[in-house]
Amino acid sequence: MPMQRIDTQDELRRMLAAHRELGHSVGLVPTMGALHAGHASLIRRAVEENAVVVVSDFVNPTQFNNPSDLRNYPRTLDQDARLVEMLGATFLFAPSVQEMYPAPDTRVFNLAPLDTVMEGARRPGHFNGVAQIVSKLLELVLPDRAYFGEKDYQQLLIVKQMVRQLGLPSQIVGCPIVREADGLAMSSRNLLLSPECRKAAPSISAALRNALPTLSAQGVDAAKQKIANDINATTALRVEYVEMADPETLAPVHEYAPGHAMAFVAVQAGSVRLIDNWKY
């Protein structure tokens, strides 16, 4: 059956109700479009594990604290639709801003302590905006499973916390980072990189990958410093932060224990901000 492109909540509800009457399981892959191989891996897994798959394609304004970032975010809906259909999803949900926010969303979520560090500390309101749109999508689709990439690892933990708080029935499934052949974590923002910055960007994952010997021998602070130094050695890149945290709680890690440390970085590459993470 060909994929159907839907742009209203009412139509999506009607279509899903018919599938639920037949006992079909439903998977959701929430995206902001500009789809790449990382998104494709989420969609493939959803198609494997569910009878019906909804891919949402919506650039959510409430999670942008920088207006120019929202304005410049890549939008490739027609190309996205072709990929989603090729991968076997059932529905592409591509609503307007007015459709998702007919009135301002004034809800404030309690996301502490997960939103008080790293991205949460540096992008005020970002994760509250994520919680607003993801909760809307989960309540609309009521999926058995919803799929999120681990590149946005902090977001993944926050969505899981929000789902517990709201008592939503969906299982949140984290999926591994997909990387380019040169190691760069796939991101829609990669489309915005200048040639110079794109050439330099693999230094981020290389610095993360190469930090383990220092972490094991010299400890957390030395490893964080090495990661920062290795990335900053590339003139096109500037480290915003390097943090070492517990992968379950995001609490800072001060002493290394294998399997209980994860490095998180944010890096400015020209006008584009990139994030990545690595578990040790």
Side-chain angles (χ1 to χ4, degrees):
M1 191 171 76
M3 180 204 75
Q4 291 178 266
R5 189 161 149 181
I6 295 174
D7 58 12
T8 70
Q9 297 187 58
D10 285 345
E11 185 182 2
L12 184 58
R13 281 192 195 95
R14 284 197 303 272
M15 300 297 250
L16 290 173
H19 282 283
R20 284 210 174 79
E21 286 181 9
L22 298 172
H24 292 164
S25 59
V26 177
L28 170 66
V29 182
T31 83
M32 291 208 301
L35 303 184
H36 50 67
H39 296 111
S41 72
L42 305 183
I43 298 168
R44 284 193 195 94
R45 181 161 174 186
V47 168
E48 288 171 4
E49 296 180 355
N50 304 276
V52 175
V53 172
V54 178
V55 178
S56 65
D57 192 314
F58 178 68
V59 181
N60 174 43
T62 71
Q63 70 190 71
F64 286 83
N65 54 329
N66 182 337
S68 67
D69 194 18
L70 172 61
R71 194 165 51 247
N72 295 330
Y73 198 85
R75 292 162 171 84
T76 58
L77 182 56
D78 289 340
Q79 182 180 316
D80 295 346
R82 290 191 291 273
L83 177 62
V84 169
E85 181 159 28
M86 184 185 76
L87 293 169
T90 320
F91 302 113
L92 177 65
F93 180 52
S96 66
V97 173
Q98 180 65 26
E99 178 66 21
M100 293 310 293
Y101 296 102
D105 191 337
T106 57
R107 292 175 298 159
V108 177
F109 292 81
N110 177 16
L111 304 171
L114 295 175
D115 70 338
T116 63
V117 296
M118 296 183 296
E119 294 300 285
R122 291 162 178 84
R123 300 177 67 187
H126 167 68
F127 285 123
N128 198 74
V130 169
Q132 287 175 343
I133 189 59
V134 173
S135 63
K136 281 177 176 282
L137 291 168
L138 291 174
E139 289 166 352
L140 168 65
V141 176
L142 293 174
D144 297 274
R145 302 169 195 86
Y147 298 82
F148 293 81
E150 291 181 353
K151 183 184 75 68
D152 297 295
Y153 191 87
Q154 186 174 9
Q155 172 180 275
L156 172 64
L157 294 191
I158 282 172
V159 168
K160 287 182 175 181
Q161 175 172 303
M162 179 202 71
V163 165
R164 289 192 298 270
Q165 288 177 351
L166 297 179
L168 297 174
S170 303
Q171 176 190 355
I172 304 302
V173 181
C175 301
I177 296 174
V178 177
R179 297 183 181 277
E180 303 280 3
D182 58 12
L184 177 62
M186 289 199 173
S187 168
S188 299
R189 297 175 193 274
N190 294 351
L191 294 173
L192 303 175
L193 291 169
S194 69
E196 179 192 11
C197 289
R198 176 60 188 86
K199 185 177 179 182
S203 299
I204 301 168
S205 60
L208 292 168
R209 186 174 62 249
N210 295 333
L212 181 57
T214 302
L215 180 61
S216 300
Q218 300 177 46
V220 168
D221 289 343
K224 287 166 60 176
Q225 191 61 59
K226 176 176 169 51
I227 292 167
N229 291 346
D230 286 357
I231 296 171
N232 285 332
T234 307
T235 55
L237 305 178
R238 179 177 56 79
V239 170
E240 183 179 324
Y241 67 77
V242 179
E243 302 288 355
M244 197 77 69
D246 181 277
E248 301 297 325
T249 65
L250 300 186
V253 166
H254 301 291
E255 293 187 9
Y256 173 55
H260 296 280
M262 201 162 178
F264 295 84
V265 298
V267 177
Q268 202 69 37
S271 62
V272 181
R273 189 174 180 275
L274 302 175
I275 62 172
D276 203 347
N277 62 72
W278 202 275
K279 192 172 183 178
Y280 302 101

